[in-house]
Amino acid sequence: MTYNQKIRGPDLATAWAVLEGAVVIVGIDDTVTFPAGSTWPGLSALPATLTEHLAPQDTQRLAGTRVVPWQVTPRETEFAAALIQVQLMRSRRQSLSDRVNLLRAVADLTGDNRETVATALGLSRHAFRGEIVQLLSPLPD
């Protein structure tokens, strides 16, 4: 078996684009992957709620990955936030209530079918059944 060294990734504070390969953003409890074609807008450009959930600490690159400095547009920042959000919503490392709250940030959920909500979170309807009432009830004012 060959031991390959970890390849450090680009700086989290700056904006960059992945041209080939993928960059893994390592958080305290979770990670997200930015594949070729995606852009990272820099930490300060992302919504605080997402950076709090991920708590990014480091980046690593897959072998052969090419990353370049980038000037992100507001739309690219939205796409980066969506990429992070969907990966965290489906991550089993996030608590179920955190995952529901991430989904709730993009949709009301009170009128949705429980199977649809579970599927959006990467769960079966049965796995979600026990907590559905508490998690989908309206937030207190």
Side-chain angles (χ1 to χ4, degrees), residues 10-115:
D11 184 13
L12 287 166
T14 62
W16 38 263
V18 183
L19 300 182
E20 292 179 41
V23 173
V24 179
I25 298 167
V26 181
I28 291 177
D29 294 322
D30 222 325
T31 63
V32 294
T33 303
F34 274 62
S38 60
T39 57
W40 172 260
L43 269 178
S44 63
L46 292 168
T49 54
L50 285 181
T51 56
E52 288 169 9
H53 278 290
L54 180 58
Q57 303 293 306
D58 193 15
T59 63
Q60 299 170 16
R61 291 182 294 132
L62 298 179
T65 297
R66 283 191 328 136
V67 177
V68 294
W70 200 255
Q71 291 286 70
V72 285
T73 66
R75 191 69 174 145
E76 288 171 319
T77 299
E78 289 177 28
F79 285 136
L83 181 59
I84 294 167
Q85 186 168 17
V86 75
Q87 290 183 64
L88 291 177
M89 278 185 335
R90 298 178 67 86
S91 172
R92 302 217 190 294
R93 292 180 186 168
Q94 296 290 317
S95 73
L96 187 53
S97 62
D98 283 343
R99 292 164 70 184
V100 168
N101 286 334
L102 284 164
L103 182 57
R104 192 179 272 166
V106 296
D108 178 17
L109 303 185
T110 55
D112 284 305
N113 174 281
R114 77 173 62 178
E115 186 173 355

Side-chain angles (χ1 to χ4, degrees), residues 92 96 118 122-132 135:
R92 302 217 190 294
L96 187 53
L123 299 168
S124 72
R125 181 177 60 121
H126 300 291
F128 196 49
R129 182 187 322 198
E131 301 183 51
I132 190 83
L135 291 172

